[in-house]
Amino acid sequence: MMVTNLCTSPSSTITLRADEWVNITTIPNKPGTKYWVSAYVNVTGGTISLSMYGDISASQHVSYQITAVNAGAMSMTYSVVSGSPTVTVTSMLICTFAEYQANKTLLDSIEYFDGDTMPRA
């Protein structure tokens, strides 16, 4: 099975804003579908909390499963835990959870990549 990256610009840099949903792709979600999201999150100047991941105070790779509840584009938001953080997201992979499970060994061995080398929707 092949993995299709649903992130339209996986190597672009997206700046998030506190308590405001920011689109990380333009492809609409299918409500009820489970997705796998993987990205590099760079946090400077404070600590944030991603509701689907937890607290982050440095640059790190994050991965999580999420079930779409609406047909809007995939987005991310954070809340400030401390400081005045600046948060950017790059190297994104968004695929269905079924594709992730079918290719879990390969995707987990890559750990983190720019996403640009994958077939995209």
Side-chain angles (χ1 to χ4, degrees):
M1 178 183 252
M2 183 168 56
V3 175
T4 300
N5 194 349
L6 300 174
C7 185
T8 47
S9 299
S11 62
S12 64
T13 299
I14 297 170
T15 302
L16 300 181
R17 294 179 291 276
D19 301 317
E20 185 177 327
W21 291 101
V22 176
N23 290 345
I24 59 175
T25 186
T26 59
I27 302 292
N29 293 319
K30 293 180 183 166
T33 301
K34 288 182 185 177
Y35 292 96
W36 182 254
V37 178
S38 177
Y40 183 76
V41 178
N42 184 28
V43 178
T44 58
T47 300
I48 66 165
S49 179
L50 291 175
S51 62
M52 67 294 279
Y53 189 80
D55 290 357
I56 302 172
S57 59
S59 300
Q60 70 184 66
H61 178 248
V62 301
S63 297
Y64 55 88
Q65 174 190 320
I66 190 168
T67 301
V69 294
N70 62 49
M74 185 70 64
S75 57
M76 293 177 91
T77 187
Y78 70 91
S79 57
V80 176
V81 174
S82 66
S84 297
T86 298
V87 181
T88 57
V89 178
T90 59
S91 305
M92 295 164 274
L93 164 64
I94 301 169
C95 63
T96 65
F97 192 66
E99 284 182 332
Y100 169 73
Q101 283 185 309
N103 295 281
K104 184 179 184 328
T105 302
L106 172 64
L107 292 172
D108 287 352
S109 71
I110 295 171
E111 291 182 10
Y112 145 68
F113 57 99
D114 68 9
D116 251 351
T117 57
M118 301 179 71
R120 289 191 291 261

